Amino acid sequence: MHAADPNISENPAHIRRLDDGAINRIAAGEVVERPASAVKELVENAVDAGASQITVAVAQGGKLLIRVTDDGRGILPDELPLALSRHATSKIDGSDLLNIHTFGFRGEALASLAAVARMSITSRVAGGDAAKLEAQAGNLGDVRPSAGRQGTIVEVRDLFYATPARLKFLRSDVAEMRAISDVMKRLAMAEPYVGFELIDETETPRTTFKADAESGDPVEALRRRLRRIMGPEFIDNALAIDAEREGLHLTGFAALPTYSRGSAVHQYIFVNGRPVRDKQLTGALRAAYMDVLSRDRHPAAVLFVDCDPVLVDVNVHPAKTEVRFREPGLARGLIVSGLRHALAEAGHRASSTVAGETLGAFRSEAVVETPRVYQMDRAPLPRGSFERPAQNTDFLGGFAEAASARVEPELEPQTETLDLPLGAARAHLHENFIVAQTRDGMILVDAHAAHERIVYEKLKTQRDVAGVSAQALLVPEIVELGSGADVLLSMADDLSKLGLTIESFGPGTIAVRETPAILGTVDAAQLLKDILDEVEDTGTTTSLQARLDAVLSRMACHGSVRTGRRMQADEMNALLREMEATPKSGQCNHGRPTYVELKLHDIEKLFGRR
Ligand code: ADP
Ligand code: MG
């Protein structure tokens, strides 16, 4: 943020107390609610101070220690007490809360931290001497001479020791550490020219995140920074975005639909350089991909909306993660149109790679087994690429033959079955779709989606009655999940009620002992990864119940009839009857329909008979 701001010079900015008028206009509330919010405030201060390198050391998820070291412009010794007092800031003069160019402006973070922890701040301005000030539970000590380089070190120990009630609400060290790391990554995305390092000092100090300062062209600097944070796969599959509309500028990177994710965790939006969580804007991101992504897949993107600060109010929420646009529709519209345009232009690129890969897969599989044509559970391909390549006649020939072999002409519908809502199964097409006949029309069922919904409902019923019945694996499956392992292990008790028994198997590794019986044989590694995605996605905002429902829904996908398997007549009819008996069976867990009905007279209309 400082990079774009010409007002910030190398000289220390003087800290002043805001007047009561300004104080009253500032969104009030808790700034520091957990270690990650403390880290966020301190790192933002370092960025505001023009730092080029920011190092954060934490111990025990930030509960024991948070130390933020920067090489920014520092604070004058005389002003240290002011920095730790409420409503004192060097960043605004209080006259214009609508024209803010820095992360901070409320003058509250340091004071709030000093009130609830043991804190020290050591600082030195260019050409000055270092000084240090300590505070405990709101009591400030004296400013003392100290040693150190230019910049500031803020150390916060025993966060919330002065407010034990608050301590109780903190989550596990692992969860807090994860939140801290997330905060760091978001700020690192916003500031590619600043170097960031996160060190876990709980035991032997260990760097858990590091991004060196980038230089050069902004788009390239951001590209390199995102490669570091999101991984090469994201950036290699992402489109550079650059769109403008009525004073709003949209930049960043958005992944091709083929690089969609199982959860919304890879969506980052910044407004004027500030990481925000805004339903409107994420909704717009989702809307932009609506045509090219199914409901259960989530786009991955890092987007920056920039505009004149007067067009957006950042003073909405104490944590400054929410913003309000003067014209909300404008930002939303820009995201939708900007991304759609970029995706349309890239459509060719996406579909050509996918078509090529798909073709390749058919050619090799055709020799061995029947090709799996429609994999509803996989990342959906962009619309256009569902069309089979017409020039590949070999393939078409093979397909026609395979398809005709699936029809079972001996299937005679039983009269009473014809009267049932979903009718009598007559054929199984393309290894997934069931064609059923009713009295006055036909039903086309997506067997995979239907089965998924049924399994989900069954899992829910089992869970509510006596817990989901589990099936022990002969040999426990060992799955490596890295930092995700602790997240799942922390839920082990809840998961075991869902039929999934896991235990720790060394660092970052989980042993799966039992899986839900109803799922049959499952790929345990994939199951765990999907559940982790789901938990991370729904984790912080929803109730435990909602989270577990989401986990069940994910499990159901794994138990579903895989496409590519031929179904017998009685099996198909059984599925139709189960669908009739299952609540909400008209749609799969992802909101897609499980069947469509065509009335005879509509079919006749198609052929001009009516
Ligand atoms: P705000 O950031 O809203 O101004 P803070 O309580 O976070 O409020 O900080 C108060 C003041 O202390 C800032 O305005 C700034 O002048 C000074 N300050 C805080 N952290 C730093 C830092 N790392 N380097 C230089 N100055 C800082
Ligand atoms: Mg601040």
Side-chain angles (χ1 to χ4, degrees), residues 351-371:
S351 48
S352 61
T353 17
V354 174
E357 277 172 20
T358 314
L359 212 58
F362 281 144
R363 284 204 190 100
S364 52
E365 276 188 52
V367 189
V368 198
E369 251 294 340
T370 4

Side-chain angles (χ1 to χ4, degrees), residues 13-15 41-50 68 70 72-75 79 82-85 87-92 102-112 121 123 151-154 320:
H14 291 284
I15 307 176
E41 294 295 332
L42 297 176
V43 173
E44 287 182 351
N45 278 347
V47 174
D48 283 346
V68 178
D70 71 55
R73 78 176 69 79
I75 303 170
E79 295 187 0
L82 212 45
L84 297 199
S85 42
H87 308 304
T89 179
S90 57
K91 298 172 193 174
I92 58 167
T102 46
F103 278 118
F105 57 87
R106 310 170 71 243
E108 283 207 295
L110 293 185
S112 313
I121 178 164
S123 197
T152 304
I153 304 170
V154 179
K320 299 168 293 182

